[in-house]
Amino acid sequence: MQITVRVNGESYTRDVEPRLLLVHFLRDELGLTGTHWGCDTSNCGVCTVQVDGTPVKSCTTLAVMADGHDVTTVEGLEQGGELTPLQQGFINCHGLQCGFCTPGMLMTCSALLRDNRDPSEAEIREAISGNLCRCTGYENIVKSVRWAAEQTAEQQEVTA
């Protein structure tokens, strides 16, 4: 099947097998290896990307389902060569250790912050409940998201 997908702002047209998973399309066809591949059952969330702004597990989404849609991967988060406040928060607040879950966490949390600029700890924990981390205990991930929300609020105050 021929599909056309807009990934991180660039349009791609490819012939793919109907059974090809989106995670494999992104990694193998497009070379975007920031999207990790973990469990193949949508339990771990390391493969999370955004399709039309909604976080989805790319290990259980067929590439043909993304035909005609906008897909954002972790590579598409940076803005003009700069880290987003969320990415910087993960660095500053030690929101990652081994880094395997980080791309999926970033994609989930960036959608959360887009829709809720000041999420509570409970809202953050609920948002990331579909993303497993075996290293951090989630405490610093929550702190990273809160840090990013505070930075974004401060930036908006300065520009207002």
Side-chain angles (χ1 to χ4, degrees), residues 99-113:
F100 192 66
C101 73
T102 304
M105 288 286 185
L106 288 170
M107 297 312 297
T108 298
C109 294
S110 67
L112 170 67
L113 288 173

Side-chain angles (χ1 to χ4, degrees), residues 34-39 44-48 57 100-105 130-132:
T35 301
H36 291 169
W37 177 34
C39 66
C44 72
V46 301
C47 67
T48 303
K57 310 281 179 72
F100 192 66
C101 73
T102 304
M105 288 286 185
N131 297 72
L132 298 179

